[in-house]
Amino acid sequence: MSQVYGKVALIGLGLIASSMFWAMKRGGVAGEVSGYARSEATRDTARRIGLCDTVCDSAEAAVTGADLVVLAVPVGAMGTVAAAIAPYLKPGATVIDVGSVKGAVVAEVGPHIPETVHFVPTHPMAGTEHSGPESGFATLFDNRWTLIVPPEGADPAAVERVEAYWQALGANCERMEVEHHDLVCAVVSHIPHLIAYTMVGVADDLSRVSDQEVIKFSAAGFRDFTRIAASDPTMWRDVFLTNKAATLEMLGRFTEELFALQRAIRTGDGEELFDYFTRTRAIRRGIIQAGQDTDAPDFGRGKRHE
Ligand code: NAP
């Protein structure tokens, strides 16, 4: 048991917040946890499943007296939520967010945070295609990376405490600058999601291949796209609207590579294709060696709560 904060307030009670709650419970990381979600339905579900020690009917009540406030809502809602809670934040408290984009969050949330409160943007690089209060589980962050993106002039002690908090939830931490964060995430997360959405959309549009065939033979590769493409539409709409520059830049690079492969196929350049696929295979092996995935044929699905 290693308590890092006394009272923690979770604003938004979806996959990430609920996983944080169960991980806090598991490790005794917080003295008490209050929570707030905008809809009554989500608050009722949270109360029913014991998510949070107290579920409040207003964000104001949830953050009052909190030592740590976690903004766990879609990126597009962060600024509005920050403005609403700002007057009720305790002096000396820390606010973190868990948004998938950092430039937009720093710009939208930062100006609302009072001088007396620390703001440390964070991003857990862990998730599933599920959302809502019932989708969380305590091990989501275990051995996964959480990126810590402190703004210039952030209080070093507050940043270290945020790191200690994420480590207590099971994560490894790495610090990154805002712009670099958004570029890295465009490569490892945002563009792969866009490609998955596109591929599933293409299959849906085809008339020469029936829906039944797509579903029946999906284990040939399509299935893994569909898992990613089932991710929350609100969250991903906001990611692309707020990480425009980096995703457009990476999409340009992706399109160039795709054209190169298209050309290799048309001209029958087997060597080019073979060399390309050999390079990409090495990246997959690197991920497995780093403990960031399993080499089980079904990606270890049976073992994880996904
Ligand atoms: P989620 O399961 O969809 O939950 C979102 C929560 O935010 C819900 O409690 C929802 O309340 C609330 N919310 C939605 N719109 C809101 C608004 N306009 N104002 C106030 N509250 C609002 O989402 P999540 O997957 O936990 O994602 C939360 C954050 O974590 C996002 O910023 C996302 O980018 C980031 N993130 C997600 C993942 C992932 O894989 N899912 C990974 C890393 C980071 P109601 O239920 O009442 O609607």
Side-chain angles (χ1 to χ4, degrees):
M1 296 291 242
S2 59
Q3 187 174 310
V4 184
Y5 291 100
K7 177 176 172 181
V8 174
L10 299 172
I11 307 300
L13 294 174
L15 167 71
I16 299 296
S18 57
S19 297
M20 291 173 82
F21 174 74
W22 298 119
M24 281 191 271
K25 277 271 140 187
R26 178 187 67 175
V29 181
E32 64 169 301
V33 182
S34 60
Y36 168 76
R38 89 187 143 157
S39 74
E40 205 175 332
T42 298
R43 298 196 296 270
D44 284 347
T45 304
R47 289 186 182 108
R48 177 171 54 76
I49 65 174
L51 174 63
C52 296
D53 300 314
T54 319
V55 176
C56 303
D57 286 324
S58 71
E60 169 190 341
V63 304
T64 298
D67 303 291
L68 177 72
V69 174
V70 181
L71 306 181
V73 298
V75 172
M78 294 278 182
T80 316
V81 170
I85 60 168
Y88 310 103
L89 295 170
K90 181 168 99 170
T94 295
V95 173
I96 66 173
D97 76 289
V98 296
S100 305
V101 178
K102 292 277 80 94
V105 169
V106 168
E108 297 293 318
V109 173
H112 297 294
I113 305 296
E115 290 267 309
T116 53
V117 173
H118 306 291
F119 175 42
V120 184
T122 72
H123 179 196
M125 302 294 287
T128 75
E129 69 277 26
H130 302 295
S131 51
E134 293 181 277
S135 58
F137 52 102
T139 55
L140 178 65
F141 310 110
D142 286 353
N143 199 29
R144 297 282 175 256
W145 288 96
T146 290
L147 302 176
I148 312 288
V149 189
E152 253 184 37
D155 178 55
V159 177
E160 271 168 33
R161 199 164 168 200
V162 167
E163 270 176 349
Y165 172 75
W166 274 111
Q167 283 158 358
L169 301 189
N172 307 316
C173 292
E174 184 153 314
R175 292 191 195 187
M176 222 176 244
E177 286 183 355
V178 174
E179 241 179 71
H180 191 61
H181 168 278
D182 287 358
L183 192 65
V184 168
C185 289
V187 176
V188 302
S189 169
H190 305 167
I191 295 298
H193 274 80
L194 196 69
I195 294 166
Y197 280 124
T198 314
M199 191 57 230
V200 175
V202 167
D204 191 40
D205 282 347
L206 282 179
S207 53
R208 277 177 298 150
V209 179
S210 75
D211 285 356
Q212 264 180 345
E213 283 170 314
V214 169
I215 291 165
K216 191 165 156 191
F217 305 123
S218 68
F222 185 72
R223 187 185 68 177
D224 299 316
F225 281 104
T226 61
R227 188 184 72 76
I228 297 177
S231 299
D232 188 68
T234 305
M235 169 185 159
W236 286 97
R237 176 202 64 196
D238 286 5
V239 165
F240 292 112
L241 290 180
T242 56
N243 198 17
K244 215 181 221 175
T247 46
L248 288 179
E249 186 189 332
M250 284 305 138
L251 204 53
R253 298 284 288 271
F254 172 78
T255 313
E256 282 171 23
E257 300 275 313
L258 194 61
F259 280 147
L261 289 179
Q262 192 179 20
R263 189 184 151 79
I265 293 169
R266 191 177 40 245
T267 60
D269 189 346
E271 204 177 329
E272 162 76 7
L273 293 173
F274 185 85
D275 289 349
Y276 200 97
F277 300 155
T278 304
R279 280 208 315 275
T280 54
R281 191 177 218 193
I283 291 178
R284 171 75 193 155
R285 289 190 175 139
I287 290 170
I288 292 162
Q289 274 161 15
Q292 294 300 305
D293 205 351
T294 163
D295 60 357
D298 68 347
F299 296 91
R301 275 202 186 88
K303 284 187 245 143
R304 276 198 240 145
H305 177 110
E306 283 188 7

